[in-house]
Amino acid sequence: MDLKISNLTKEFDGFKAVSDFSHQMHCGVYGLLGVNGAGKTTLMRMLTTLIKPTSGRITWDGEDIFAMDGKYRMLLGYLPQDFGFYPDFSVYDYLMYIAALKGIRPAAAKQRVNELLKQVGLTKARKKKMKTLSGGMKRRAGIAQAMLNDPKILILDEPTAGLDPSERIRFRNLISELSEDRIVLLSTHIVSDIEYIANEILLMKDGQLVISGTAQDIIDSMPESVWTCRVSKKDIDSCLKNHKVSNVKNIPGGAELRIISLNPPSANAVRADATLEDVFLYYFGERTGENNDTI
């Protein structure tokens, strides 16, 4: 099981949405982390053969995925950020419809759909219309449709976007459960989505792979230190302008700041253990993104 990306580049009218991206994936969960606009969706669209690269290759066990054509897509499960469905279909009918599109025989489809409804916690909602589901339930239905063909490669684009904290936790647990014996690639700009479940994290910025490794590897890669210090109210704005501040906690008379800096930012600064969120700020600055990733 080997999905290899080699010097992958995708240009749109001279703009490189993905630039010379290379990585190799085996069984496990891979978290693709970056701000909106980093090129995550473009990369995933190439991995799903929806668009072709300008240059470079993607291979599965040594064979070019575009040459494999339908043979490769049989190995693939994909949940795009915005997936389409017929709103008046019930959850069960929606999954049976997708199973038919994937060429799964009716008897096998019924068994598989029932298994997946149980796995994603939608058995009781099987007769509900898709349009009546909550955001989290729709996402779980999306995971189920991506898993219908028992894929060896499961690609999830911003799967927790818009979910509340409890649904996000449930979704992470589900993804971790589904990762056995397959490659799961999950793109997000939310650090907590992948911090505890990803075997390997890939930081992507401006279409390029900045660094990859375990969460601890990436934390250890940050050359600057993390400090906590207390400042008065009048000094808060100055600190925000002059330092990379990853957290502000209001306290009586001022604030307690968490600052990323090579040297102590103040005389009362105390060194703290770095987190993946600190690393995210270090590599990407304050631009965490508010809009959907469209490239």
Side-chain angles (χ1 to χ4, degrees), residues 14 16 26 40 43 104 135 178 187 189 212 246 249 260 277:
K16 290 185 178 181
H26 306 285
K40 303 187 302 294
L43 176 63
I104 302 173
L178 294 174
S187 87
H189 61 274
S212 65
S246 63
K249 179 183 178 182
I260 300 170
E277 285 191 347

Side-chain angles (χ1 to χ4, degrees), residues 30-36 38 40 158 185-195 200-205 208-211 218 276-277 279-280 284:
Y30 292 80
L32 184 61
L33 183 62
V35 297
N36 290 330
K40 303 187 302 294
E158 298 281 358
L185 178 61
L186 183 161
S187 87
T188 185
H189 61 274
I190 303 169
V191 172
S192 60
D193 280 354
I194 59 173
E195 187 169 10
E200 187 172 354
I201 297 170
L202 290 70
L203 292 188
M204 190 174 185
K205 182 178 182 180
Q208 296 182 312
L209 179 62
V210 177
I211 190 171
I218 291 175
L276 197 58
E277 285 191 347
V279 179
F280 188 88
F284 301 110

Side-chain angles (χ1 to χ4, degrees), residues 4-8 18-24 43 57 202 207-209 212:
K4 187 175 182 180
I5 306 167
S6 304
N7 307 112
L8 203 66
V18 175
S19 180
D20 199 32
F21 192 106
S22 296
H23 200 68
Q24 196 164 3
L43 176 63
R57 293 186 77 207
L202 290 70
Q208 296 182 312
L209 179 62
S212 65

Side-chain angles (χ1 to χ4, degrees), residues 267-283:
N268 71 344
V270 177
R271 193 188 295 266
D273 292 333
T275 67
L276 197 58
E277 285 191 347
D278 295 320
V279 179
F280 188 88
L281 177 66
Y282 172 78
Y283 281 107

